[in-house]
Amino acid sequence: MAAAQVAGSLSGGPPPETPGEPPFEPGRGFRCLSARLCALRPDDSSSGRTEIHLLFDQLISETYSEGSGVAPEDVSTLLVQACRLVPLNQNHLVSKLSQLIHHLLNTLQVIVDEQNLDFLLAYTISAIQQCSSWTHMQILQALAALVYGNGSKCQKYLPDLLGKSGLLMKLSDLAQSDPEVRRAAVHCMANLCLSVPGQPYLEEHYQNICFQVFLTTLQSPRSSDMDDITFCMLLQNALKGIQSLLNGGKMKLTQTDELGALLAVLKKSMFHGLPGLNIEMPTVLYPTPLPQYDGRPPSQPQQSESSTSRPAVNKKKKSKVKAKKIQQGEEEEEESSGEREVAPVTGPGRLNLHRGDAQGASSPGAQSLPLAGSGAAGKDRVSSPFSSSSWRRVSSSESDYSDAEGGMQSKVRSYQAKVRQGALACFLSTIKSIEKKVLYGYWSAFVPDTPELGSPQSVSLMTLTLKDPSPKTRACALQVLSAILEGSKQFLSIAEDTSDHKRAFTPFSVMIASSIKELHRCLLLALVAESSSQTLTQIIKCLANLVSNSPYNRLKLSLLTKVWNQIKPYIRHKDVNVRVSSLTLLGAIVSTHAPLPEVQLLLQQPCSSGLSSSSSSATPHLSPPEWWKKAPSGPFVEEGAISSPKLSSEPCWLIRLCISIVVLPREDSCSGSDAGSAGGSIYEPFPMRLEALQVLAHLARGYFSMTQVYLMELGEVICKCLGEADPSVQLHGAKLLEELGTSLIHQYKPDSSVAPDQRVPVPLVVTFWTMMLNGPLPRALQNAEHPTLQASACDALSSILPEAFSSLPSDRQILCITMLLGLNDSKNRLVKAATSRALGVYVLFPCLRQDVIFVADTANAILMSLQDKSLNVRAKAAWSLGNLTDTLIVNMETPDPSFQEEFSGLLLLKMLQSAIDASKDKDKVKSNAVRALGNLLHFLQPSHIEKPRFAEIIEEAIQALISTVLIEAAMKVRWNACYALGNVFKNPALPLETAPWTSQAYDALTSVVTSCKNFKVRIRSAAALAVPREREHYGSVEQYAQIWNALVTALQKSEDTTDFLEFKYCASLRTQICQALIHLLSLASPSDLSCIRETLELHGDMVQSFILQFLKSGTERDDAGAPHHPQERDQMVRTALGHINNVQALAGDPAKKAIVSFLEDTLTIYFDSSGSQVALLGLTHR
């Protein structure tokens, strides 16, 4: 009777509201039911069990929605009370309680707190141990919900769950008779492995146990008593578990067999249920450059390939019908995914794959674009017909099902697609957890290669991209391929295209080239066949990754041309993501190995080529050649058009397109996804405009000969961008300005290959920069709200052509200098670093470097930045200090001594002290600090050196250089320190012959020249030893002998290295040592001859052979700046010979005769071997 009363009170749910009652509150029903449950006491009577049953039913049937007002702690308290009410001998109640735990935790997304979790875990583990086997499925579901996100709090129970005889180990075993129980046990393990940021993770021991269970599960075939859907869910859980281990647990796959076994099951699962494909995989994949396995039957792929390459237009209707069935299946699956088991948040890799945007466009705006995955756009993505008859790849017999069979088959296919997506997500996590050099050992297992004539193509990621009926799976496969290609430039650089097919074997380089070509072919096929906008975006991003990393300078032409021609129409695609990624791809083409002749020709194509307009176009139409004049333009446009050098009669369509995207309003209506990203603007969406600006920057960097024609137009674009409100548009405008300025500087460098008549005239450059400085650039420099923009504007300001800066109006010059000096006081480190660097550029300008006031102001600003807490600021300041001291040296070499006289001695002292302090900083700072020290010590005048206060700091500075030469620092630091000591030796005012530090400096250099592992450091130390011009500077006879012997030893060891990369510097090192030896001979005193003779008696043949090489290699260039002409080199030897002949040798000393004989023999051998050619070049002096 009591049970009946309870049923009557609960059956209808919450009572209907009456006009006098307050409105219904969220969570009120749950709280009422919870209060009733908490009021109960354990009662083993039949009526008590019935009441609990009914309460559980009501709690399960209660409607819970997001923001339902139910607190997580209330849920935990209710579940604990429920467990206390249900004894373990009541199987039905335990089963119903397990359903309640699973339902509430999943529906309300509750993670149980640690205290209540402890009680609930103990209860569920005991329930599995004591209750009947038919309840295990429900109890495991409850356990999975409890441990979800709580793995770190379950340490106490891990031995019971994952020990040798642990519950989950037994229930997940292959011998488990109930397939549903086995699946649920694997699901529990996967949830245990799920990581929570900031929480400790499973111990490595338990990680390995779980990994082996997941691996075994994936390797095992489907048992006869397991249906397809259960098997798919089992595989999904195992894949999610491995992915969690790799993502959150940071599990490292160090063993080859372990990694190979995982990759083998992932490849097998990637193709699970793919229609028309049945592959057998080995248990382990081993790293190899050659295709190891091809298990596809030879008869089917021929048909599949033909259907891929020929879109079946006449079967389009059937394709649509079947696509609709797929959509229903996927929708059905999505509806059933509310459980925790298939919750979308399963780690970063999975989340990215579901979103389809792991590989973002290169611009910041493009990265944040939402993909068409929700609302109408999302529906379109799934229901769109599959081009190229992708559904026709299924055998025709599969379409002859009844409605019920068809619905079930569609459901199975959607679950199989989920397995493939899970395998790809897991593969993506695997790629991120192993080194790229390890990954590329398995290249041929996942990346296609050009098949041999008559043989089928091996299955690869491209098989999924071309043949999988699910657009989401195709997008996942493309993301994995993108991850493999990302950062592969060094690996792919070995590729070499060759037409020699007669070799007995295929070189690895040829195989990689073949693979690159096949990737291009397959991705372009996929591009044409794809109809889903989201997947289309991924195809284009993958192509951009491939283009960025492929060595086109080593491959045959036409690959880029095919990509270029096929991507053009997609610039007008209706979906903004596709348009943005198309521009990203074009940017990759114009930035890879630029400048490429093939791309140069493509840029000169007529603008109409491949750009067919359509009704869905959302991009401004390209106008006739007068397009720019129709747009608002400033007074400088026509002048720029007249003054620019005429390099091409055909304008560059890509530059025109990008400019129109940035500055011209949209002409046509755009898709729904555009409207949101454009924010109601009349212009193209921001991601499109930012990507267009990036393409323009790439063109300015790599193809300036074409871009320079548009210099003034681009100036107008930059002014417009800098004047806009959006900081990202301003930033990209500043970056474009910097690239244009840098390219102009490169044109005017002394070693530039650009002919003078092809350069942009200096007056036009002056006009361009005047436009910038009169426009919004100064405002951008003063925009303290956006320091990144300020820093970028500083970088742009530092890219002014020096020849143009001197011709700018004086007020503009003063503006530049004043703003930079002012910004050096900025509190923002980005701005301060950029300003320090810009000042270091300006101090080298010919028109500024002799301005003592500017140089002094710059020095004070740099010295202040050297004290900054930011390493980046100090590194930039040290570089600028090195440049400033270079300026001091240049000024010292001019005939006018006024600069040296006017430059403050006190400031020199401060610079020396700051440079000494910086030489003790990190290597990034130290390398330029020692360069500055060398220059400063070279610059010191006699008037400075005579002052007592300089003596101490000179000593300290030289000791800093000596210690830097000897310490184990970065090689660039030691290289610069050796160079700096050479600079010190160039100052004749320094007391080299008497100072105590001279011998210490020589000791350091002789130590390095014989023993340093880095040959460039040895080269610089040998060059420094050859600097002094007077014999007295080398000190005593013993000091001279030490230097001489060290150089001979260094010559002997000039090939002693274990680092293969150092061998390329061997010739330069020998050249520099020979030059130093000959220099020492030309300064030798009578007392030095005996030591020279002793060395020549021991090593004369070796020294002579290397000197002969030095004489014969006169046309080689080397790092040390040795004489390049044969005449200069043999003249050095003749000078040394003349000097030795003139030395007044001690009576009875045979040393002079031996040395003269050695030099004469050397010259004779050289002239005899060189013949008439050398006679014409050098013997006229004899």
Side-chain angles (χ1 to χ4, degrees), residues 1139-1153:
H1139 173 77
I1140 299 294
N1141 270 321
N1142 293 330
V1143 168
Q1144 298 296 321
L1146 300 174
D1149 186 358
K1152 174 178 175 180
K1153 185 177 180 182

Side-chain angles (χ1 to χ4, degrees), residues 87-127:
L88 294 176
N89 59 357
Q90 297 293 327
N91 286 329
H92 285 88
L93 266 180
V94 170
S95 175
K96 185 64 65 70
L97 172 59
S98 299
Q99 291 177 42
L100 177 65
I101 293 172
H102 176 252
H103 178 74
L104 286 180
L105 296 183
N106 270 294
T107 307
L108 295 171
Q109 295 291 299
V110 171
I111 293 180
V112 182
D113 61 276
E114 192 165 359
Q115 183 179 353
N116 289 320
L117 177 70
D118 195 54
F119 177 86
L120 293 169
L121 281 178
Y123 181 89
T124 49
I125 290 171
S126 300

Side-chain angles (χ1 to χ4, degrees), residues 406-421:
M408 188 61 190
Q409 195 69 15
S410 177
K411 188 174 182 180
V412 169
R413 284 187 188 126
S414 69
Y415 273 91
Q416 289 171 337
K418 278 289 184 186
V419 173
R420 297 196 295 275
Q421 291 159 23

Side-chain angles (χ1 to χ4, degrees), residues 123-277:
Y123 181 89
T124 49
I125 290 171
S126 300
I128 295 174
Q129 291 169 338
Q130 297 179 34
C131 294
S132 301
S133 59
W134 67 266
T135 65
H136 287 176
M137 174 63 189
Q138 284 76 27
I139 300 172
L140 284 170
Q141 282 186 327
L143 181 61
L146 284 168
V147 300
Y148 182 88
N150 272 324
S152 61
K153 302 171 187 173
C154 302
Q155 301 290 338
K156 177 179 172 183
Y157 298 97
L158 289 180
D160 294 331
L161 296 171
L162 300 175
K164 281 190 177 180
S165 57
L167 293 175
L168 295 182
M169 299 301 292
K170 288 180 181 177
L171 297 175
S172 64
D173 192 76
L174 297 177
Q176 170 59 235
S177 57
D178 188 340
E180 285 288 350
V181 170
R182 183 182 165 209
R183 182 198 66 75
V186 173
H187 178 210
C188 282
M189 275 194 190
N191 281 5
L192 263 175
C193 295
L194 188 70
S195 67
V196 176
Q199 295 288 336
Y201 202 67
L202 285 182
E203 295 173 14
E204 189 175 348
H205 168 64
Y206 292 116
Q207 286 189 44
N208 292 329
I209 289 173
C210 292
F211 179 78
Q212 289 304 323
V213 171
F214 298 143
L215 199 61
T216 306
T217 303
L218 292 169
Q219 289 170 336
S220 307
R222 179 171 68 89
S223 58
S224 57
D225 59 343
M226 186 179 289
D227 63 80
D228 284 328
I229 290 179
T230 303
F231 185 54
C232 286
M233 293 174 74
L234 175 67
L235 296 179
Q236 280 184 63
N237 289 326
L239 288 165
K240 277 190 275 189
I242 292 178
Q243 190 181 0
S244 293
L245 287 171
L246 293 171
N247 285 348
K250 306 297 180 189
M251 186 176 179
K252 296 300 178 188
L253 302 167
T254 52
Q255 300 299 320
T256 302
D257 286 353
E258 193 179 53
L259 176 60
L262 175 60
L263 292 177
V265 295
L266 288 180
K267 184 168 182 180
K268 179 183 175 183
S269 303
M270 276 163 41
F271 299 101
H272 179 77
L274 187 65
L277 193 67

Side-chain angles (χ1 to χ4, degrees), residues 1071 1074 1104-1116 1123-1127 1129-1130 1133 1162-1171 1173-1174 1177:
T1071 296
C1074 288
Q1104 187 177 71
S1105 67
F1106 284 127
I1107 290 178
L1108 285 170
Q1109 284 183 26
F1110 164 72
L1111 292 170
K1112 291 174 184 176
S1113 60
T1115 55
E1116 291 182 5
H1124 304 314
H1125 201 278
Q1127 282 180 301
R1129 297 194 177 199
D1130 67 57
V1133 180
T1162 303
L1163 285 172
T1164 302
I1165 295 168
Y1166 168 60
F1167 291 138
D1168 287 347
S1169 63
S1170 302
Q1173 183 182 2
V1174 174
L1177 293 173

